[in-house]
Amino acid sequence: MTQQTSRPENPETAAEAASDEHARVDATAAAAHPLDAAAPVHAVEGGSEGGRIAELEAERDALKDKLLRALADVENIRRRAEREVADARIYAKTNFARDMLSTADNVRRALESLGDAREGLEGPAKTLVEGIELTERDLLHTLERHGVKKLDPVGERFDPNLHQAMFEIPDESKPSGTVVQVVQTGYVIGERCLRPAMVGVSKGGPKATNGEG
């Protein structure tokens, strides 16, 4: 009876067999725990996606800020344009209005020249004076409709922006610096002085406080 003897294995073949065995074990473990096997890949992908979202949010916020600034600039330009149009509408008539003041002055001088004689007038003379008075009132109303207003500063505190002091009048009954007489009527157009009123102011009285005038 012939006895069979075992042949020694080839080292390379043994290494391959061991590698195949390890691969089968890893495959079995991956099949048993699929989430654990995919976890490293998902972690990498999740980190990349989170960074991209943060980048997009930062870009969105920057664009939003630029949009808000642009809207604010547009609103400021619109308001500035409205103010300029309103100012042009009011102050474009400044030169014409200033020329009309001489007409108003002449009408007023004509009435003042009559003095007390106005009370004794009758007939056509009285009618003429009444017509001049009506003309003055109509002229002032027309100027006022176009933003030109007459100043009536008697009793008010002297304002260098609106008044021009011509002389001082001693008067201890009124605070110093109070307008007590108007030599020439002043006018404003809108919020600007068209012509300052020429006035006489009081002196010798108590000092005017900020709340007076």
Side-chain angles (χ1 to χ4, degrees):
M1 184 173 182
T2 306
Q3 185 177 1
Q4 295 180 352
T5 59
S6 59
R7 298 170 59 186
E9 293 184 356
N10 188 345
E12 295 181 357
T13 303
E16 291 178 358
S19 176
D20 292 340
E21 182 65 23
H22 287 303
R24 283 194 298 273
V25 172
D26 292 341
T28 302
H33 304 284
L35 296 178
D36 293 341
V41 177
H42 281 253
V44 173
E45 292 179 353
S48 177
E49 183 178 356
R52 180 58 178 165
I53 291 175
E55 181 180 344
L56 291 174
E57 289 179 346
E59 184 177 353
R60 178 204 61 192
D61 293 341
L63 291 174
K64 182 179 179 180
D65 183 67
K66 289 181 180 179
L67 176 60
L68 293 176
R69 291 177 183 273
L71 291 175
D73 290 340
V74 171
E75 181 65 15
N76 290 335
I77 293 173
R78 184 187 66 80
R79 291 179 179 178
R80 189 181 306 114
E82 288 180 350
R83 287 196 301 269
E84 290 176 353
V85 170
D87 289 347
R89 186 181 299 115
I90 295 175
Y91 302 118
K93 302 182 288 284
T94 298
N95 291 334
F96 174 76
R98 187 176 289 112
D99 291 340
M100 290 300 297
L101 298 185
S102 60
T103 302
D105 291 340
N106 291 333
V107 174
R108 171 47 37 187
R109 291 191 190 99
L111 292 172
E112 291 178 349
S113 65
L114 295 174
D116 296 337
R118 294 171 57 182
E119 298 178 0
L121 295 176
E122 295 181 357
K126 183 178 180 180
T127 303
L128 176 61
V129 172
E130 291 176 348
I132 295 174
E133 291 175 339
L134 179 62
T135 300
E136 182 186 38
R137 288 196 298 270
D138 186 60
L139 175 59
L140 293 177
H141 290 162
T142 300
L143 290 173
E144 188 169 350
R145 283 199 303 271
H146 291 276
V148 180
K149 296 181 180 181
K150 179 180 178 181
L151 294 175
D152 186 16
V154 174
E156 297 179 0
R157 184 179 179 182
F158 176 79
D159 185 348
N161 297 315
L162 300 175
H163 313 141
Q164 181 177 347
M166 304 302 295
F167 49 84
E168 292 181 326
I169 300 175
D171 189 344
E172 296 182 357
S173 65
K174 294 182 175 59
S176 294
T178 300
V179 177
V180 294
Q181 183 177 344
V182 177
V183 178
Q184 185 181 57
T185 304
Y187 293 85
V188 293
I189 179 169
E191 297 180 354
R192 301 178 185 176
C193 180
L194 183 61
R195 186 181 74 184
M198 296 183 179
V199 300
V201 296
S202 63
K203 72 171 183 177
K207 184 178 180 180
T209 61
N210 293 333
E212 295 181 4

